Amino acid sequence: MKRVVTIITVIAMIFNLTACGSKAEQRFESSFLELFDTVTTIVGYAPDEKTFTEYSQMIYDRLEEYHQLYDIYHDYEGVNNIKTINDNAGIRPVKVDQKIIDLLEFSIQADQLTNDNVNIAFGSVLSIWHDYRTIGIDDPLSAELPPTEELQEMAKHTDISNVKIDKEASTVYLEDPLMKLDVGAIAKGYATEMTANYIIEQGFINGMISVGGNVRTIGTKFDDAGSKIPWSVGIQNPDQDSTQPTVHILQLEDMSLVTSGVYERYYTVDGKRYHHIIDPETLMPSELFQSVSIVCKDSGMADALSTSIFNMTLEEGKELIESLEDTEAFWILKDGTYEYSTGFETYIRK
Amino acid sequence: MGNKMLKRNDMIMMGIVLLIALISLGFFFLNKKEGSAVIITVDGEIYQQTELDQNNTIKIKQDNGDYNEVIIEDGYVWMTDADCPDKLCVKHNKIHYDHETIVCLPHKVVVEIVGGEENTVDIIAK
Ligand SMILES: [Zn+2]
């Protein structure tokens, strides 16, 4: 088991005069690179470094469990994960941890909510793109687009009703032998949410977990006088040549912010960029936006919505967001224009 | 004569006050700069620590051949080159504020500013 190192120690010391009397709480930060193929950062308040390191370790251990269960590329000894389910498509049902069944049920609900725009049964199409992208990034000169026929052939094997979940037996079976699950659009946010809920129960009540930029805030932070103030969470500027790293700063308390953008994971064919968010209808990268950001309570839902809204037109996306309670969205269009859902601006720090 | 003395004393007094102010101001700035470090870690171990206000080019060469190049210029830090496959570290915005980082995940390289100008954001969603 990996031991988390508290890389950064005390940033600020505050005196938190709460109901339980005068108690000094310090702000700490830790981070690690091992999980979900990204950087995880934890920020929060604890009475001392030892306590904070314990919280960080608990968060690490829980996230690591999700990381292994939701992995579609690697095997882990003694673990049946999503890859095991994929490997057994059309062969046999796989007995899995309840955490996998919970994720799949959550994902199926999210897909229904978003008019089939975040389909976890889309893995066979996404894996073609993944392979071509990987080759194209490793060796830009031999970068190619996936053949349309191949994409269309695989798109026939994406019917989510062929994912058979037996809750009593705790098994998952893909009836279509050519089907694959890909939970990449949802697993990180879902795992972050579950881990946040778990660590709150352990007493970590003022903090923030970011798994690769999927940000879940827990309670508030404190200003120098010890008063509660919301966390300040920036939204990445798609223009990475800018010295301005963010386009907006949001003030969040117990809320999640997830941004789906096309500025990081892409490859280039004949001078044109092809990113990783694939429209289920065209089977090609969605071309409308540079990024879509979602604010809502549940980090798993924020993750699922950011991808699905990315695949919708602005009008469709707005209609969906306005129909959801306590859920807001911010679009950066291809030409750089900003669009907002009606309540989004209340979160923007003035 | 008495008046003149008073004036001279006043002048001296003002001079002392000004001197103290200048010294403390200088001390403040020196201290501030001293606190602004650029810390580079590879797989959690410190590879190099240097000053943010010192223009510098740092080549990070690992035993396995992994290579990254960091430039520090006028208080800003960025990755100019790397032989990692995704090049996300090279695409990353320049950093300047306290606790901002640039990460090269494939090479496990983290470049971090510690003690720089106060950051007005706690984290960035991306
Ligand atoms: Zn890199």
Side-chain angles (χ1 to χ4, degrees):
Chain A
M1 185 168 52
K2 169 92 183 175
R3 288 286 130 193
V4 177
V5 185
T6 305
I7 295 174
I8 304 145
T9 52
V10 187
I11 296 173
M13 185 164 188
I14 64 111
F15 293 92
N16 180 15
L17 301 160
T18 52
C20 47
S22 171
K23 159 181 92 144
E25 290 256 316
Q26 293 168 292
R27 176 173 167 153
F28 298 93
E29 191 168 326
S30 65
S31 62
F32 40 85
L33 310 179
E34 285 77 13
L35 305 180
F36 290 102
D37 202 18
T38 190
V39 186
T40 299
T41 304
I42 303 161
V43 181
Y45 292 83
D48 49 58
E49 187 173 331
K50 184 173 164 284
T51 311
F52 181 76
T53 306
E54 281 166 11
Y55 283 133
S56 294
Q57 188 67 53
M58 283 190 263
I59 291 169
Y60 182 94
D61 293 344
R62 185 56 66 103
L63 280 174
E64 185 185 40
E65 211 181 325
Y66 285 109
H67 163 88
Q68 295 190 354
L69 289 172
Y70 299 165
D71 199 328
I72 62 171
Y73 299 114
H74 304 96
D75 297 306
Y76 301 92
E77 216 185 305
V79 177
N80 282 346
N81 62 9
I82 307 251
K83 180 176 183 290
T84 322
I85 298 172
N86 287 343
D87 292 344
N88 286 285
I91 301 170
R92 64 176 179 93
V94 177
K95 192 160 175 64
V96 293
D97 191 289
Q98 183 64 31
K99 290 185 176 71
I100 289 184
I101 294 187
D102 290 344
L103 171 73
L104 298 186
E105 290 193 318
F106 179 83
S107 304
I108 290 167
Q109 279 171 17
D111 188 50
Q112 284 163 354
L113 180 74
T114 62
N115 198 17
D116 206 19
N117 270 301
V118 57
N119 179 4
I120 52 165
F122 219 64
S124 293
V125 172
L126 294 180
S127 79
I128 298 173
W129 275 105
H130 179 266
D131 294 345
Y132 275 82
R133 189 169 59 246
T134 306
I135 294 167
I137 288 172
D138 280 345
D139 181 11
L141 290 175
S142 63
E144 284 180 356
L145 286 181
T148 311
E149 313 79 64
E150 201 181 330
L151 292 170
Q152 282 170 346
E153 186 51 42
M154 279 305 148
K156 293 175 188 160
H157 305 283
T158 58
D159 182 354
I160 201 164
S161 66
N162 284 326
V163 182
K164 300 296 179 195
I165 300 172
D166 185 336
K167 287 174 81 166
E168 286 205 347
S170 276
T171 59
V172 180
Y173 177 51
L174 306 182
E175 276 189 340
D176 180 340
L178 291 178
M179 173 182 276
K180 272 185 203 168
L181 298 178
D182 184 328
V183 293
I186 211 160
K188 240 182 344 173
Y190 183 83
T192 307
E193 181 65 24
M194 293 299 120
T195 303
N197 292 333
Y198 156 77
I199 205 68
I200 291 168
E201 278 170 28
Q202 309 301 312
F204 187 72
I205 52 169
N206 294 101
M208 188 169 58
I209 305 174
S210 163
V211 181
N214 280 250
V215 180
R216 167 66 152 89
T217 61
I218 298 168
T220 61
K221 65 171 182 171
F222 299 95
D223 66 12
D224 293 339
S227 307
K228 292 181 173 187
I229 55 167
W231 294 98
S232 292
V233 186
I235 295 175
Q236 168 80 41
N237 187 350
D239 175 12
Q240 294 192 298
D241 294 329
S242 168
T243 51
Q244 201 63 46
T246 60
V247 289
H248 279 309
I249 296 168
L250 306 190
Q251 299 197 292
L252 302 178
E253 182 179 337
D254 285 320
M255 298 294 269
S256 299
L257 171 62
V258 176
T259 299
S260 279
V262 299
Y263 36 83
E264 287 204 331
R265 282 164 61 197
Y266 61 83
Y267 73 118
T268 309
V269 183
D270 296 331
K272 187 173 166 10
R273 285 183 183 185
Y274 294 87
H275 63 78
H276 71 288
I277 305 175
I278 304 303
D279 185 325
E281 274 172 42
T282 63
L283 308 179
M284 296 295 284
S286 312
E287 295 277 2
L288 295 171
F289 313 112
Q290 296 189 53
S291 76
V292 172
S293 300
I294 304 290
V295 178
C296 66
K297 219 165 164 44
D298 185 300
S299 158
M301 190 47 79
D303 202 2
L305 283 173
S306 71
T307 305
S308 53
I309 297 282
F310 204 102
N311 283 326
M312 298 180 194
T313 64
L314 180 62
E315 292 68 34
E316 287 167 348
K318 278 192 171 170
E319 201 185 316
L320 174 60
I321 291 296
E322 301 301 347
S323 75
L324 301 173
E325 226 170 284
D326 296 326
T327 306
E328 301 297 341
F330 163 54
W331 293 257
I332 302 180
L333 274 54
K334 199 109 193 251
D335 66 3
T337 318
Y338 296 174
E339 289 281 345
Y340 305 89
S341 63
T342 44
F344 188 88
E345 280 165 90
T346 58
Y347 290 109
I348 297 176
R349 190 173 79 187
K350 300 295 178 295
Chain B
M1 191 70 179
N3 258 356
K4 242 187 184 169
M5 273 304 282
L6 210 74
K7 270 186 187 157
R8 221 178 85 188
N9 277 345
D10 279 354
M11 290 288 275
I12 290 168
M13 195 57 196
M14 271 168 68
I16 289 172
V17 170
L18 208 72
L19 196 69
I20 290 173
L22 276 174
I23 288 171
S24 37
L25 207 69
F27 193 72
F28 174 72
F29 276 114
L30 276 177
N31 254 354
K32 202 175 169 208
K33 279 186 179 168
E34 218 171 44
S36 310
V38 179
I39 299 176
I40 299 171
T41 56
V42 176
D43 202 8
E45 306 279 322
I46 291 188
Y47 180 88
Q48 193 168 337
Q49 177 164 352
T50 177
E51 309 284 305
L52 181 62
D53 64 347
Q54 241 169 37
N55 292 354
N56 205 345
T57 302
I58 299 160
K59 296 183 196 309
I60 305 158
K61 289 177 186 160
Q62 298 186 46
D63 296 338
N64 59 10
D66 288 354
Y67 176 73
N68 295 69
E69 188 180 275
V70 176
I71 282 193
I72 304 171
E73 200 175 289
D74 302 332
Y76 283 83
V77 183
W78 67 101
M79 196 86 81
T80 44
D81 195 16
D83 62 356
C84 59
D86 59 16
K87 301 275 192 291
L88 291 186
C89 54
V90 180
K91 289 174 200 156
H92 198 283
N93 298 71
K94 294 179 181 183
I95 57 172
H96 169 68
Y97 295 98
D98 190 14
H99 288 99
E100 279 193 303
T101 55
I102 297 175
V103 176
C104 178
L105 199 65
H107 292 176
K108 296 200 181 304
V109 171
V110 179
V111 181
E112 177 170 28
I113 293 176
V114 176
E117 203 176 322
E118 197 188 338
N119 199 343
T120 58
V121 293
D122 296 305
I123 201 115
I124 295 177
K126 52 181 143 193

